[in-house]
Amino acid sequence: MSSDIAGARYPEQALDNALAAQIQFSAVQLAEIDAIGRIITDHLDNSQIMWNW
């Protein structure tokens, strides 16, 4: 599982970002979030490269 860090331009934004780390999701909520993401990713293969230019 990866973790993304949102950028901050102001000290208040950095504080808000840090406080967001305290959010706890239930197993049901995590499953719902996963299902939403899979709408986008399920058609992709296992390749590390998403685009070939």
Side-chain angles (χ1 to χ4, degrees):
M1 176 180 233
S2 69
S3 176
D4 296 324
I5 300 173
R9 293 185 180 181
Y10 307 102
E12 297 82 11
Q13 289 174 323
L15 179 58
D16 288 343
N17 292 346
L19 291 173
Q22 297 176 9
I23 295 173
Q24 299 279 322
F25 292 107
S26 71
V28 171
Q29 290 169 318
L30 289 173
E32 289 176 2
I33 292 168
D34 184 62
I36 292 167
R38 288 181 185 280
I39 293 169
I40 304 298
T41 60
D42 273 354
H43 72 281
L44 300 174
D45 60 22
N46 290 328
S47 174
Q48 296 277 335
I49 301 172
M50 291 183 63
W51 299 280
N52 290 320
W53 302 100

